[in-house]
Amino acid sequence: MPKNSAGNFFEDFSLGQVIKHATPRTVTSGDVALATGLYGSRFAVQSSDAFAAAIGYRAAPIDDLLLFNIVFGKTVADISLNAVANLGYAGCRFLRPIYPGDTLNAASEIIGLKENSNRKTGIVYVRSLGLQQDGGTVLDYMRWVMVRKRDETARSQAEHVPALPAALDASTLGHGCPAIDVGAYDFALAGSPARFADYEIGEKIDHVDGTTVEEAEHQIATRLYQNNARVHFNLFSEKQSRFGRRLIYGGHVISIARALSFNGLANAFHVAAINGGRHVAPLFAGDTVFAWSEVLAKAELPSRSDVGALRLRTIATKDRPCADFPHKIGAEYDPAVILELDYWVLLPR
Amino acid sequence: MPKNSAGNFFEDFSLGQVIKHATPRTVTSGDVALATGLYGSRFAVQSSDAFAAAIGYRAAPIDDLLLFNIVFGKTVADISLNAVANLGYAGCRFLRPIYPGDTLNAASEIIGLKENSNRKTGIVYVRSLGLQQDGGTVLDYMRWVMVRKRDETARSQAEHVPALPAALDASTLGHGCPAIDVGAYDFALAGSPARFADYEIGEKIDHVDGTTVEEAEHQIATRLYQNNARVHFNLFSEKQSRFGRRLIYGGHVISIARALSFNGLANAFHVAAINGGRHVAPLFAGDTVFAWSEVLAKAELPSRSDVGALRLRTIATKDRPCADFPHKIGAEYDPAVILELDYWVLLPR
Amino acid sequence: MPKNSAGNFFEDFSLGQVIKHATPRTVTSGDVALATGLYGSRFAVQSSDAFAAAIGYRAAPIDDLLLFNIVFGKTVADISLNAVANLGYAGCRFLRPIYPGDTLNAASEIIGLKENSNRKTGIVYVRSLGLQQDGGTVLDYMRWVMVRKRDETARSQAEHVPALPAALDASTLGHGCPAIDVGAYDFALAGSPARFADYEIGEKIDHVDGTTVEEAEHQIATRLYQNNARVHFNLFSEKQSRFGRRLIYGGHVISIARALSFNGLANAFHVAAINGGRHVAPLFAGDTVFAWSEVLAKAELPSRSDVGALRLRTIATKDRPCADFPHKIGAEYDPAVILELDYWVLLPR
């Protein structure tokens, strides 16, 4: 029986295959503290038990992207250890608040496979679930990733490109957010008076601040997620790669952008869903990340008068402040852009 | 409604203005662990629930400077985002022990304003309070900071330089320390037999050890405090600054000096007050910090026979061991000195 | 009364001397989270309260090497502050599972002293105990370390080289592991189907993954253990040393090797004992660590049918993948080898 694993290659996956991932994880206030040290996020709900309890949470829930990154991390050893690139996300919904003490598991289904014409790689489409200790689903998302073949002559077992939702309908949002007592929501403590009604479709917000990433930081973050993809840790092997250095995990970039977005979106306390995301360019240690957001849409939630949803596009850049909202130059991304994220957040009404 | 903020400029402040700061924070054992990893502090009271409970605490309280840095961090977005320099501290008292699970808030009052003659900057004097979830004050301190003007032609709304105490009287100390059962205080476990009576006024102590600071470390620390001053994080902007690189947050330096001071002050388990502090020179990543202390005064506390107070001057240096107690050369600071801190600590009698 | 300490020198130790070490430490879920961020370990038992409770633990115990490193850290200020080299470990047994909330102390006995012929250094043999708050022993190990003399003319107070066990007998193992309900052990969640019976004596396993160490990472780790040996932190002094830079703490290397060993030993959930260990060569920041293991022996435990013990030799290397199992070239170690560790792990049967 082989004991170790170099990860799955494209031809190892089969359509409909279900994978139960290692390693279960009890999330703790220690994880929360380390995430605070790594991102400096300042959203009041996730920072203060007292604030969260006053508005209707049991206690301060863990940051939604910490949840995402922990669940994602579990999928890496089985899905993307031999990935060339993580191509995108779709249909990602946060379905329950998670608190320190909760235990997370993950499982995935292979929902699509498509070999590339070069016969060296293929696209694996996967739907992954984050599961709580009681089996309930806390996170549900799809991603697609380009994976190397072990053997160029191997034939894919099936070819199927699944339909992926362009965006989640607002009617599907809100399961991850309890009923909020907006009267108890202290806007001064939260850092801004701006509520749902104060944002307009088309409004663009520069998040102003920039933060430089160090090798130790992204490595500590990515290990915190128990994500063992060697591109993030192994300088010896990555020196031989196309980049010649360690690549920063995409989820680290997303978490940085979310933390930066506090300056302009202080009351957007919950990421309810990610419609789609694209890592436009790689980020490396020493680069400084900036971000800006545009309000793409606004929506009320069915039967809820407490919170409303903003659909945002957040663009993160490297070594490029965002006062002039860099995005695309013609059909091409501005060369400074590293992330485009399309997602729904909830704000008090 | 503007959503983001570039921080307040000198002319935005008014005398008597009261500011309630974001973001509330529940302190956890995760914060404590990360602070241990960043500073390696070895004071027994803050390290061991069993030790702390034996002598009269409810459990191990959080490190006093962790408390200070968390409260300070909350004030940055409103007070010092456009600071040129943090000039000093005065009248800082620690009024309650804080334990994991407690939630901290902060509020400030503008107590003085003085424009500089260059019309480009002014001094903002502020009194800040750290508040517990029940509204009780846990920390009370003044600082003054040089802040840029947005518009050189703007007129200050008032000019007032407040009276600042040179030092706190020992009679005001001790509120942050419960009654200590000195009989239960295990001096071997604490690391030294030296009690209050064993220190003499004028005694100088070299803290021997040195510690080198890395970019990732001070960034993680400063983000742990949710302090978003760009000088500490944003290499892209700081490359254009007078220093050409990221400046290490002064509170990080104070915490390093305090941790180093264990070697010589192992039983000085509680910082009761900070009389004054000055960041004499900047610290940068790669520098190695050393420290030494002098006993400036000794005092008994009113109605307490359990603990006594030492007034200390701790000097921190960079790349300069302190066996010969470097301080000033004539009227000028030794060029290696980065911090002069004047404070009261409590020791068992 | 001298207040500070530069540590003990060889001639300060006496045979039979017993030292009670500072600083007591309550281990928390914060320590666990930071260790996860530093090593990325993926063993299910230490990661998930639910997994651990299902098989018979009270909750997720802390990682055995985190326990080892915390206890070891306490001994440094008294034993090895003036060490030239940490020469070896023997007879190390883990006797109780430790959970967040437990408080750890440490005490040591000097069991051997042998001056070196150069009269400049000597070997100190020490037996150290890790103690729980109730006084019970949780860790028991011997190490020997080469320590500088303060004064070359000083005479050692006694000379004695103790008998050190080459390896622990399997009959002494298992006290640190509760009765395991193997039926409740979820091998898919744990990451591998391989049980005790699936490993063969002589089997070699490449752990595949490599991880690069940054200065901030090993410093944070070593401070987390409250280990204040200056060789790990003080660039100013270490620039003058034989290496010209900071040396990474040996326990950090062991923890890295253990975390890497998950890929091939996923169900080896408990380190029951360390028979011996040798830091063959120093590790520095920027180096990438790889590891492989060989099964040296297998043993059943007295009166236990739940778990079996594997005796492993794990070799860690720097900047050298381990697919071909580098170890020795003739009588000499392969120049890439940095660690040889001989230890017992427990697996479900």
Side-chain angles (χ1 to χ4, degrees), chain A residues 3-4 20 23-24 26 219, chain C residues 42 47 49 186 203 206 217:
Chain A
K3 304 300 188 310
N4 62 12
K20 184 174 172 177
T23 294
T26 302
Q219 291 198 148
Chain C
R42 291 180 285 148
S47 180
D49 283 337
D186 186 327
E203 183 173 353
D206 174 17
E217 292 171 356

Side-chain angles (χ1 to χ4, degrees), chain B residues 260-284:
Chain B
L260 290 173
S261 79
F262 176 85
N263 193 346
L265 290 160
N267 294 315
F269 65 88
H270 173 51
V271 175
I274 298 174
N275 296 309
R278 184 168 167 198
H279 296 294
V280 175
L283 180 72
F284 302 105

Side-chain angles (χ1 to χ4, degrees), chain B residues 29-30 33-34 36-44 47-51 186 188-191 193-194 198-199 203 205-206 208-212 214 216-217 220 262-264 286 288 290 319-321, chain C residues 1-6 20-32 34 74 77 81 101 103 105-106 133 215-217 219-221 223-228 230 233-237 239 246:
Chain B
S29 59
L34 190 46
T36 301
L38 291 164
Y39 304 112
S41 184
R42 291 180 285 150
F43 293 98
S47 180
S48 165
D49 283 337
F51 190 99
D186 186 327
L189 269 189
D198 298 311
Y199 289 87
E203 183 172 355
I205 304 161
D206 174 17
V208 181
D209 308 312
T211 194
T212 306
E214 297 293 320
E217 293 172 356
I220 290 173
F262 176 85
N263 193 346
T288 301
F290 295 86
D319 293 340
R320 168 80 156 81
Chain C
M1 180 189 291
K3 303 303 187 310
N4 61 11
S5 168
K20 184 174 173 176
H21 303 294
T23 295
R25 169 75 162 274
T26 302
V27 184
T28 71
S29 59
D31 300 318
V32 173
L34 189 45
K74 297 182 189 318
L81 222 47
T103 297
N105 295 304
Q133 60 271 23
E215 297 283 12
E217 292 171 356
Q219 290 198 149
I220 290 172
R223 284 188 300 237
L224 181 67
Y225 312 138
Q226 295 170 303
N227 174 335
N228 67 320
R230 73 170 166 275
F233 303 114
N234 186 331
L235 176 60
F236 181 84
S237 68
K239 272 182 180 161
R246 285 162 282 178

Side-chain angles (χ1 to χ4, degrees), chain A residues 238-258:
Chain A
E238 295 316 298
K239 272 182 181 162
Q240 314 302 323
S241 75
R242 59 190 154 147
F243 299 122
R245 48 193 164 155
R246 285 162 281 178
L247 179 66
I248 293 174
Y249 163 53
H252 191 61
V253 178
I254 295 175
S255 285
I256 291 171
R258 167 73 176 157

Side-chain angles (χ1 to χ4, degrees), chain B residues 150-166:
Chain B
R150 183 188 289 105
D151 171 6
E152 288 188 27
T153 66
R155 301 305 314 264
S156 180
Q157 299 178 20
E159 295 258 331
H160 175 69
V161 176
L164 296 169

Side-chain angles (χ1 to χ4, degrees), chain A:
Chain A
M1 180 189 288
K3 304 300 188 310
N4 62 12
S5 168
N8 289 312
F9 290 85
F10 179 70
E11 64 265 38
D12 297 328
F13 295 102
S14 59
L15 205 58
Q17 180 184 4
V18 172
I19 302 170
K20 184 174 172 177
H21 303 294
T23 294
R25 170 76 163 274
T26 302
V27 184
T28 71
S29 59
D31 300 319
V32 172
L34 189 46
T36 302
L38 292 165
Y39 304 112
S41 185
R42 292 180 285 149
F43 294 98
V45 169
Q46 286 75 26
S47 180
S48 165
D49 284 338
F51 191 99
I55 65 169
Y57 284 88
R58 200 175 80 208
I62 71 160
D63 178 86
D64 300 299
L65 295 172
L66 175 57
L67 167 59
F68 178 84
N69 283 321
I70 288 176
V71 171
F72 185 102
K74 296 182 189 320
T75 71
V76 168
D78 296 312
I79 303 296
S80 50
L81 221 47
N82 296 302
V84 180
N86 199 29
L87 298 173
Y89 312 100
C92 176
R93 292 194 303 150
F94 295 84
L95 298 168
R96 288 184 181 183
I98 290 293
Y99 302 96
D102 286 337
T103 297
L104 297 172
N105 295 302
S108 296
E109 182 183 0
I110 305 302
I111 59 171
L113 290 168
K114 177 83 177 71
E115 192 172 345
N116 286 320
S117 56
N118 64 10
R119 307 291 306 271
K120 294 183 178 170
T121 56
I123 315 288
V124 179
Y125 297 81
V126 60
R127 180 178 178 186
S128 297
L129 301 181
L131 304 165
Q132 209 170 339
Q133 60 270 23
D134 65 0
T137 302
V138 299
L139 182 71
D140 183 347
Y141 71 99
M142 287 166 275
R143 68 165 166 141
W144 54 109
V145 55
M146 191 187 303
V147 176
R148 279 187 207 88
K149 289 173 71 181
R150 182 188 291 106
D151 171 8
E152 289 188 28
T153 66
R155 302 304 314 264
S156 180
Q157 299 178 21
E159 296 257 329
H160 175 70
V161 175
L164 297 168
L168 287 155
D169 191 85
S171 67
T172 68
L173 306 178
H175 296 279
C177 178
I180 297 299
D181 178 355
V182 178
Y185 189 104
D186 185 326
F187 289 84
L189 269 188
S192 167
R195 302 169 180 238
F196 176 66
D198 298 311
Y199 289 87
E200 292 175 22
I201 295 174
E203 183 172 354
K204 293 179 178 180
I205 304 160
D206 174 17
H207 300 309
V208 180
D209 307 313
T211 194
T212 305
V213 183
E214 297 294 320
E215 297 282 13
E217 293 171 356
H218 76 85
Q219 291 198 148
I220 290 172
T222 309
R223 284 188 299 236
L224 182 65
Y225 312 139
Q226 295 170 303
N227 174 334
N228 67 320
R230 73 170 165 274
V231 293
H232 311 311
F233 302 113
N234 187 330
L235 176 60
F236 181 84
S237 69
E238 295 316 298
K239 272 182 181 162
Q240 314 302 323
S241 75
R242 59 190 154 147
F243 299 122
R245 48 193 164 155
R246 285 162 281 178
L247 179 66
I248 293 174
Y249 163 53
H252 191 61
V253 178
I254 295 175
S255 285
I256 291 171
R258 167 73 176 157
L260 291 173
S261 79
F262 176 85
N263 193 346
L265 290 161
N267 295 314
F269 65 88
H270 174 50
V271 175
I274 299 174
N275 297 308
R278 184 168 166 196
H279 297 293
V280 174
L283 180 71
F284 302 106
D287 293 341
T288 301
V289 180
F290 296 87
W292 68 275
S293 297
E294 178 174 356
V295 179
L296 299 180
K298 295 182 65 170
E300 300 187 0
L301 300 193
S303 323
R304 292 187 70 156
S305 58
D306 55 344
V307 292
L310 297 184
R311 184 176 168 189
L312 301 172
R313 176 200 291 130
T314 292
I315 301 290
T317 61
K318 59 180 176 188
D319 293 340
R320 168 81 158 83
C322 290
D324 61 348
F325 312 118
H327 186 198
K328 291 185 175 176
I329 300 170
E332 299 292 313
Y333 279 99
D334 182 297
V337 172
I338 57 173
L339 173 73
E340 170 158 3
L341 194 71
D342 176 342
Y343 60 114
W344 286 104
V345 293
L346 302 190
L347 290 88
R349 288 173 69 173

